Amino acid sequence: MTPILHNYLVVGSVLFVLGAIGFLTRRNLIIVVLCVEMMLQGVALNLVAFGAYHRSFSGQVFTIMMLTVAACEAALALALVLALYRRQRTLDVSVWQTLREPEVEPEVEETPPEEPPPPPPEFPRLTPAGLEPKSNQAEEAAHV
Amino acid sequence: MSDLDVALRIVPALPLVGSILTAFLGNRLLGSKSHLPVVVGLAGAVLFSFMVLVEAPGSGRISTSYDFVDLGNLHINVVLRADALTAMMLVTVNLVGFLVAVYSRGYMAGDPGYARYFAELGLFVFSMSMLVLSSNFLLLYVFWEAVGLCSYLLIGFWYERPSAAAAARKAFLVNRIGDAGFLLGLMLMWTTFGTLDYDGVFRQVEQADPATLTAICLLLFTGAIGKSAQFPLHVWLPDAMEGPSPVSALIHAATMVTAGVYLVARSTPLFVASPTAQLIVAGIGGFTALLAALMALTQFDLKRVLAYSTVSQLGLMFLALGAAAGQPKLAEFAVVAAVFHLFTHAFFKALLFLAAGSVMHAMGDVIDMRRFGGLRRLLPWTHALFLVGALALAGVVPLAGFWSKDEILAAVHEASHGPYPGFFTVCYYTAVLTTFLTAFYTFRAYFLTFWGEERVPEEAHGHAHESGWVMLVPMALLAVGAALAGILFGPTHLFAEYLGKTPIFATHGEEHGLNWTVMMTSTLAAGVGIGLAAWLYVLSPSLPERLRRSLPGLYELSSNRFYLDELYGVLFVGPATMLSNFCRLFDQYIVDGVVDLVGWVPGAVGRVFQTPQNGLVQYYALATTIGLAIFLVFVVLTLRG
Amino acid sequence: MLSPLLASWLTSLRDVGLVLLPLAVGMTALWLLLPQARPRQVLISAFIAGTAALLVGGLVLLRGTGPDVPLLFDVLFWVFALLAVASGVAMIVQRNPVYSALWFAQVVLSTCGLFLLQAAWFLAAATVIVYAGAIVVTFLFVIMLAQQTGLAPYDRQAREPLLACIAGFALLAALQYAVSTAGKTSPDTVQVFAQPRQLPKVQQVLEEVRSRVKAGESPDDTGKLLYLQAAQPESFVGNILFQLAETLPPKERKQERDVCEAANAKISRARLTENAEMMVEGLDQLLALSQRLELRFGKSPLSRLREPHVASLGQSLYGDYLWAVEIAGTLLLVATVGAIVIALRRQEEAA
């Protein structure tokens, strides 16, 4: 196995596992779906690397198919996320645990302590420059 | 197919059809008319069985219906057989069955189980008909069990009563012991003769080993002991009186209990070839006759008195059946005597039970003779009919019991001139003593019930009354039989001639004239018995009490039925209960424990794996991730080999 | 005395340890970075992550890169790879979903760079358009539709970060183990696929056999030399050339395959009949083919970049995989309809 293929495979697997960890840990529905997309990216990298290794276009064709499926999946997943959001007005995954066994206690998430509000954004301010315009009164007075 | 073939099939078929109709339509459609199919069927069966009676004896006809068992060289067909013995039994069964069914229409009216009662009654008559019609021992055994089942069902007819349920169970279990012996006998017979057909077996009797033959006879006799309530398996019959009175009359007096007598009579060729077996039959019969008569002396339950009397009379029949020991020439006479007594006994004992049922009906289901008395004015018809039955049972000239019992005594007397004079002399005097006791206890019951001061229990609610015609007419017909059956067939030898045509008797003995000595003896015994009963219970009613005080041991012994039930309880029931308790505990804690464990394990595993099922997809994905890692490592390791 | 099995186990244990160490360090950093109830220790985490990166770099130096990879490719690869992994980490640890989506776009762009290095030009462009252009934008729209003001509690609190990191570590370790041992798997699967770098060896063998046959040696005996590995049918030089011809663009593919098949048939017939003339003829044909292939593939990966990739990809896509393309198109249509149906606000809901 050429080192170059090996390296691509390593990067692909790292992306895949990072996506998996994100899928496991994040509670925001949208981020969960994003993580799935990242896992798909890892897989796509693997396919392309193998395709190049075998000098075959099959890998790329397969990746194109995957791209198609990923697009479908993203569209459907986001539609579902929207539908779910409309139901509960939250993106929290923990809301959706009604499929648990009846005997099992529902998982209650500990609410993290309230963070201090972020400091108000500092917008750049231009230092005052040039002459201060004359007051209208003086002008009016001059007219008069 | 001749007329006889048709008749042979119709006789059992009619009660069966009636029974099935009643069983399926009874509760919904027929209601209080549930008796109709069975009564009509039985009436037809009576007519056809008379036809069989007329046509059968000459033919010894065998009529195959269909193959029942066809295994290897074991061919058992449902073969109906018509000969004199069968025809006689058929007439008895169907006639008494019909009369009892008519009587039951009045007796059972209004009972919630009315339809069930008639369905079971029809089933019983069918089974009993098939029992006597069957042409091989296996079929006989099948219907032997079927009548046992009907008996069980009808004893436990009022199953909500604990005593009735217990009595039914007792009857069933005690019968099982006898039936097990019967079954073993059949197996031994099969291995010895290779066939279970009557004719096939009887043809090979000559070649058989005497010891094996004796064993077969004794095993068959075990079955007879159970079914016919002989010592030591007699304990179920008195308890069986928990069933309705007509059932007691039909099954536990007239027909089913005589199946044992029928079996031994049917197997005459076997028994004739084994004097040992015959001696044992006679011995047990005689002993039972005396023992049951002694027990009957002190009972206060009217139906129990009659039940012990039945046991006693059956004992006399067995005594007669065994009387031909060592004298093959005597066999025909002895067997005819036994079957003749069976025939007459069916009439007068059924009559007595029906009369007792009539008394019970009037007394609000009270049957204890201490609680009523002097009923002869209140129930004049019942009184008269009971008197006829009692006289017949006691053996008073010229009623039926006299002639048949006389023949038994004559046969035993004859036997005492044979190779076993001592044994049969004892038997003879036992029989005479039994005759005396029979007369005594029968009239004791009669006097206690119908004479003396008029007393009626509260349960009758003050409207104790004579039974209706529907009950009285069957009783009257039975009374006619009880009165005339003896004198018509006995001294005229009609019965003996007819039965003699049965192909079970190898040698025909000489005509037996009337034995005047025996007749005088038995009449004397009966007369003394009746006189003693009249003296004790009518003329000086305080005497029995004083007698009881002066002979406490004997009295207690008799009234407690010689403590045989208790003895069985200690000897058999106790250990069996202990064993079954052990089995129950074993089943409960070991077997059930294992089964419960098998059921518990999936539940426990499920509970363990239920915890992660919290509905959050991410936990599932976590498990998937770890599983994927393990799987990958496994695959790579496998590929590396 | 160690048994060979145990020795091999120890060797692989050392290899595994070398891979596991940077993985473990990287996972620790990730765990510290994931949103949790306690305040984030960015400095410590960054330090640990840097350590992990250094360890990976050390590992790479230790192993060395391939001989035929030019430095430019190597550098570009490492830049894109580092960018992709770092953006991935940033994406999953970001508490603000908008930032997450933007980091994801960064991941996609870096991946596209890697695609370019693999000569997948069309794919790189398509991915940028589809992912960065369409999907990420859709995500941002949905975030806008559903986002609450400020950081929601569920964004500030990750679920079971430690457990997830351990599971991820286990999976990644297993994947690395699989990737690194795949080349050493059972000998049957080794060298199933022909490589262009085998071409010089192939030519050398062909020429040697040709000269020997011409010198009068038996074609059948010398024919045995035509196997790169003794008695391995798949290492027959004719087969290697055939497999390489298979990877050509469709137009040339057919022609070269036919040539190769004819030559192979000729050689096997010549070996059977001991026909030296025919043997030389076949060998000449194969030699010519191998020279054409060498020209075609070139000696460096750079030469591949000069090939008409998009055209070849299109031929493959609409030639070999036409049905799959049609089905994928149908799938897209169905998904569009489905997404509209699901996301559509229903009348009663709106009311």
Side-chain angles (χ1 to χ4, degrees):
Chain A
M1 182 171 299
T2 53
I4 190 131
L5 172 66
H6 178 260
N7 291 347
Y8 280 96
L9 294 186
V10 168
V11 175
S13 65
V14 168
L15 282 183
F16 180 84
V17 171
L18 279 177
I21 292 175
F23 181 86
L24 294 182
T25 53
R26 297 311 301 262
R27 285 166 55 194
N28 190 323
L29 276 171
I30 296 174
I31 295 183
V32 166
V33 178
L34 264 182
C35 290
V36 175
E37 300 291 339
M38 187 152 80
M39 289 165 82
L40 285 177
Q41 280 297 305
V43 175
L45 199 53
N46 263 12
L47 287 172
V48 171
F50 269 116
Y53 175 66
H54 292 312
R55 313 191 148 271
S56 153
F57 289 104
S58 297
Q60 292 189 35
V61 171
F62 212 97
T63 313
I64 288 173
M65 297 297 158
M66 216 190 67
L67 214 63
T68 319
V69 175
C72 298
E73 179 242 310
L76 285 174
L78 287 175
L80 281 170
V81 165
L82 267 186
L84 294 177
Y85 176 74
R86 280 202 209 115
R87 283 264 176 112
Q88 297 275 356
R89 289 282 145 198
T90 174
L91 290 173
D92 194 353
V93 184
S94 309
V95 171
W96 306 100
Q97 43 177 313
T98 41
L99 274 180
R100 69 173 181 278
E101 289 285 310
E103 287 85 1
V104 177
E105 292 295 313
E107 187 93 353
V108 181
E109 304 290 343
E110 46 176 308
T111 321
E114 208 50 55
E115 284 189 359
E122 299 220 355
F123 298 114
R125 281 187 196 160
L126 294 174
T127 45
L131 288 175
E132 202 169 335
K134 285 181 187 157
S135 70
N136 289 345
Q137 282 178 344
E139 206 171 316
E140 277 166 18
H143 278 286
V144 174
Chain B
M1 201 188 276
S2 71
D3 292 351
L4 185 57
D5 285 335
V6 177
L8 279 183
R9 282 157 208 219
I10 285 182
V11 169
L14 283 175
L16 180 65
V17 170
S19 165
I20 291 173
L21 281 179
T22 308
F24 283 99
L25 304 178
N27 281 335
R28 290 181 208 140
L29 279 179
L30 297 169
S32 64
K33 292 184 181 58
S34 298
H35 59 278
L36 274 180
V38 173
V39 169
V40 170
L42 284 176
V46 170
L47 289 180
F48 280 100
S49 56
F50 271 111
M51 181 181 153
V52 172
L53 186 71
V54 173
E55 291 205 9
S59 61
R61 166 96 62 176
I62 287 174
S63 167
T64 306
S65 290
Y66 63 90
D67 289 352
F68 176 49
V69 177
D70 192 0
L71 284 174
N73 56 353
L74 174 64
H75 302 284
I76 304 293
N77 300 325
V78 175
V79 178
L80 303 181
R81 174 196 180 91
D83 58 21
L85 182 59
T86 296
M88 203 283 305
M89 289 295 289
L90 264 190
V91 169
T92 314
V93 168
N94 281 297
L95 188 58
V96 178
F98 170 68
L99 294 175
V100 164
V102 173
Y103 174 91
S104 305
R105 195 261 168 278
Y107 188 83
M108 299 300 291
D111 192 280
Y114 191 67
R116 179 163 57 91
Y117 173 83
F118 278 98
E120 289 169 4
L121 198 69
L123 186 64
F124 168 76
V125 176
F126 158 73
S127 308
M128 193 68 201
S129 299
M130 287 301 291
L131 190 153
V132 297
L133 275 170
S134 61
S135 172
N136 58 56
F137 281 101
L138 189 69
L139 204 60
L140 172 76
Y141 179 71
V142 169
F143 288 99
W144 182 274
E145 296 289 5
V147 293
L149 169 73
C150 295
S151 160
Y152 168 78
L153 289 173
L154 285 165
I155 294 171
F157 180 73
W158 289 307
Y159 51 81
E160 63 273 23
R161 281 191 210 158
S163 58
R169 199 168 60 233
K170 186 173 180 180
F172 201 77
L173 288 178
V174 173
N175 266 305
R176 293 257 59 73
I177 301 170
D179 294 349
F182 189 1
L183 193 58
L184 287 176
L186 290 191
M187 293 172 184
L188 188 58
M189 192 187 283
W190 166 251
T191 51
T192 311
F193 299 117
T195 177
L196 292 175
D197 260 7
Y198 294 154
D199 296 337
V201 171
F202 298 157
R203 229 179 286 128
Q204 300 175 55
V205 168
E206 304 286 318
Q207 298 98 299
D209 172 36
T212 317
L213 210 57
T214 305
I216 292 175
C217 287
L218 288 180
L219 285 168
L220 291 184
F221 183 54
T222 316
I225 283 178
K227 193 62 78 188
S228 295
Q230 295 299 292
F231 177 83
L233 298 180
H234 63 279
V235 287
W236 66 271
L237 190 58
D239 286 358
M241 298 303 128
E242 287 289 341
S245 295
V247 167
S248 306
L250 175 61
I251 299 184
H252 304 122
T255 55
M256 187 196 81
V257 289
T258 62
V261 177
Y262 170 79
L263 173 66
V264 176
R266 175 57 79 191
S267 317
T268 303
L270 291 174
F271 281 86
V272 165
S274 169
T276 320
Q278 276 192 311
L279 284 179
I280 291 174
V281 171
I284 287 187
F287 180 67
T288 310
L290 183 61
L291 188 76
L294 287 172
M295 289 175 183
L297 289 180
T298 52
Q299 299 301 319
F300 282 105
D301 181 327
L302 179 55
K303 279 177 74 181
R304 271 176 187 268
V305 172
L306 296 177
Y308 281 114
S309 151
T310 305
V311 175
S312 173
Q313 299 302 309
L314 289 167
L316 282 182
M317 293 177 211
F318 280 110
L319 175 57
L321 285 173
Q327 288 175 287
K329 283 189 176 175
L330 195 60
E332 184 184 353
F333 182 57
V335 171
V336 167
V339 177
F340 188 38
H341 194 52
L342 185 160
F343 178 65
T344 57
H345 175 256
F347 286 103
F348 59 71
K349 189 53 67 67
L351 169 64
L352 283 172
F353 266 111
L354 293 186
S358 175
V359 169
M360 219 171 138
H361 204 55
M363 296 296 111
D365 284 346
V366 171
I367 196 65
D368 191 336
M369 289 186 286
R370 283 168 294 193
R371 298 191 52 200
F372 50 71
L375 301 179
R376 65 183 184 283
R377 280 181 204 86
L378 206 57
L379 310 170
W381 284 103
T382 306
H383 164 239
L385 294 167
F386 192 94
L387 181 60
V388 171
L391 287 171
L393 175 57
V396 171
V397 194
L399 296 170
F402 169 77
W403 300 104
S404 55
K405 194 180 289 183
D406 179 64
E407 285 208 25
I408 289 179
L409 288 174
V412 179
H413 191 257
E414 195 85 6
S416 62
H417 301 311
Y420 307 100
F423 179 78
F424 280 109
T425 308
V426 172
C427 283
Y428 176 70
Y429 287 111
T430 308
V432 171
L433 181 58
T434 306
T435 309
F436 158 70
L437 290 173
T438 305
F440 175 73
Y441 67 67
T442 310
F443 275 87
R444 168 178 171 270
Y446 166 73
F447 286 131
L448 279 176
T449 306
F450 293 100
W451 289 75
E453 188 189 341
E454 184 171 304
R455 282 174 295 138
V456 175
E458 304 140 24
E459 283 88 341
H461 302 299
H463 51 77
H465 57 88
E466 183 59 274
S467 304
W469 290 113
V470 73
M471 286 162 71
L472 287 177
V473 167
M475 284 159 65
L477 288 174
L478 284 172
V480 169
L484 300 181
I487 194 145
L488 282 184
F489 304 123
T492 55
H493 295 292
L494 277 177
F495 194 86
E497 268 175 39
Y498 183 82
L499 210 59
K501 294 172 187 165
T502 315
I504 50 172
F505 304 116
T507 53
H508 290 282
E510 65 274 20
E511 285 274 312
H512 286 266
L514 298 176
N515 189 330
W516 290 101
T517 327
V518 173
M519 281 168 76
M520 295 311 293
T521 316
S522 75
T523 310
L524 191 67
V528 170
I530 295 171
L532 190 63
W535 179 48
L536 282 178
Y537 293 98
V538 182
L539 301 176
S540 56
S542 56
L543 200 56
E545 191 59 23
R546 271 185 284 148
L547 212 57
R548 188 169 78 81
R549 295 247 175 79
S550 58
L551 296 169
L554 286 178
Y555 182 86
E556 290 295 315
L557 210 56
S558 169
S559 79
N560 284 311
R561 292 151 290 169
F562 295 90
Y563 295 101
L564 279 176
D565 277 319
E566 285 75 8
L567 185 70
Y568 290 172
V570 172
L571 280 185
F572 304 114
V573 181
T577 313
M578 275 164 63
L579 181 68
S580 58
N581 265 331
F582 170 75
C583 290
R584 179 177 63 84
L585 292 178
F586 181 82
D587 184 61
Q588 195 170 341
Y589 291 104
I590 312 272
V591 178
D592 272 11
V594 170
V595 173
D596 285 350
L597 187 72
V598 169
W600 179 82
V601 165
V605 173
R607 271 189 294 283
V608 168
F609 286 102
Q610 190 186 40
T611 328
Q613 304 288 327
N614 57 5
L616 280 168
V617 185
Q618 287 164 321
Y619 283 99
Y620 302 169
L622 187 68
T624 313
T625 309
I626 294 168
L628 182 60
I630 293 168
F631 176 72
L632 254 178
V633 172
F634 175 76
V635 165
V636 173
L637 284 180
T638 315
L639 276 184
R640 284 185 71 177
Chain C
M1 195 179 85
L2 290 174
S3 69
L5 186 70
L6 194 58
S8 79
W9 268 96
L10 277 180
T11 318
S12 59
L13 198 66
R14 192 197 62 203
D15 293 349
V16 166
L18 276 178
V19 176
L20 287 191
L21 184 65
L23 282 187
V25 176
M27 282 301 163
T28 316
L30 190 62
W31 172 56
L32 287 172
L33 281 169
L34 277 170
Q36 287 170 64
R38 53 182 164 63
R40 212 185 323 206
Q41 309 286 341
V42 181
L43 268 179
I44 298 175
S45 320
F47 174 71
I48 296 176
T51 315
L54 282 178
L55 282 171
V56 173
L59 192 62
V60 168
L61 286 180
L62 201 66
R63 290 215 166 144
T65 49
D68 53 351
V69 181
L71 185 65
L72 175 62
F73 269 53
D74 230 14
V75 168
L76 283 177
F77 170 77
W78 287 114
V79 168
F80 284 132
L82 195 67
L83 206 55
V85 172
S87 310
V89 171
M91 180 200 131
I92 64 170
V93 302
Q94 263 303 330
R95 298 192 294 181
N96 192 330
V98 179
Y99 292 164
S100 274
L102 291 177
W103 279 119
F104 175 64
Q106 181 60 48
V107 171
V108 172
L109 289 176
S110 318
T111 317
C112 288
L114 293 174
F115 284 173
L116 280 179
L117 289 180
Q118 296 279 26
W121 299 354
F122 174 77
L123 201 55
T127 308
V128 167
I129 293 166
V130 173
Y131 261 109
I135 296 184
V136 172
V137 171
T138 319
F139 269 99
L140 286 172
F141 267 117
V142 173
I143 292 169
M144 265 165 51
L145 281 173
Q147 185 61 30
Q148 296 164 334
T149 52
L151 285 181
Y154 50 81
D155 276 330
R156 285 190 280 122
Q157 170 86 53
R159 184 198 310 287
E160 307 281 357
L162 183 61
L163 209 55
C165 283
I166 290 170
F169 168 75
L171 182 58
L172 195 50
L175 282 171
Q176 295 319 308
Y177 182 57
V179 166
S180 59
T181 52
K184 302 172 204 156
T185 46
S186 60
D188 300 343
T189 57
V190 174
Q191 297 296 332
V192 174
F193 298 104
Q195 294 291 325
R197 59 194 159 84
Q198 290 170 316
L199 280 175
K201 176 79 177 158
V202 167
Q203 284 173 12
Q204 189 191 331
V205 168
L206 285 173
E207 270 162 12
E208 189 191 339
V209 172
R210 183 167 165 270
S211 58
R212 281 193 177 188
V213 171
K214 277 203 160 175
E217 285 187 40
S218 151
D220 193 32
D221 287 345
T222 49
K224 284 174 188 158
L225 295 173
L226 288 173
Y227 292 85
L228 293 191
Q229 289 165 352
Q232 295 273 343
E234 66 270 16
S235 70
F236 175 55
V237 291
N239 280 348
I240 290 173
L241 290 175
F242 187 83
Q243 281 188 18
L244 286 174
E246 282 275 303
T247 66
L248 288 171
K251 257 187 206 163
E252 303 158 61
R253 189 198 300 166
K254 174 133 185 28
Q255 190 188 345
E256 301 289 22
R257 261 188 353 199
D258 291 347
V259 171
C260 188
E261 252 172 342
N264 285 349
K266 235 175 231 174
I267 288 172
S268 51
R269 268 242 309 289
R271 281 183 66 187
L272 275 177
T273 55
E274 296 282 350
N275 188 337
E277 205 174 311
M278 194 192 277
M279 184 83 175
V280 172
E281 207 175 307
L283 289 173
D284 278 339
Q285 279 174 359
L286 281 188
L287 260 173
L289 177 61
S290 74
Q291 277 152 6
R292 283 202 300 279
L293 285 174
E294 196 166 19
L295 270 179
R296 195 76 181 72
F297 291 121
K299 280 191 173 129
S300 87
L302 271 178
S303 62
R304 280 188 274 139
L305 297 179
R306 287 193 286 275
E307 291 168 20
H309 273 90
V310 179
S312 309
L313 180 63
Q315 274 168 354
S316 181
L317 196 56
Y318 292 104
D320 302 340
Y321 296 100
L322 184 61
W323 277 110
V325 171
E326 295 298 333
I327 291 170
T330 316
L331 182 67
L332 266 177
L333 181 68
V334 172
T336 313
V337 174
I340 291 170
V341 168
I342 291 170
L344 209 62
R345 197 185 287 263
R346 295 198 177 76
Q347 289 296 327
E348 62 267 32
E349 240 180 276

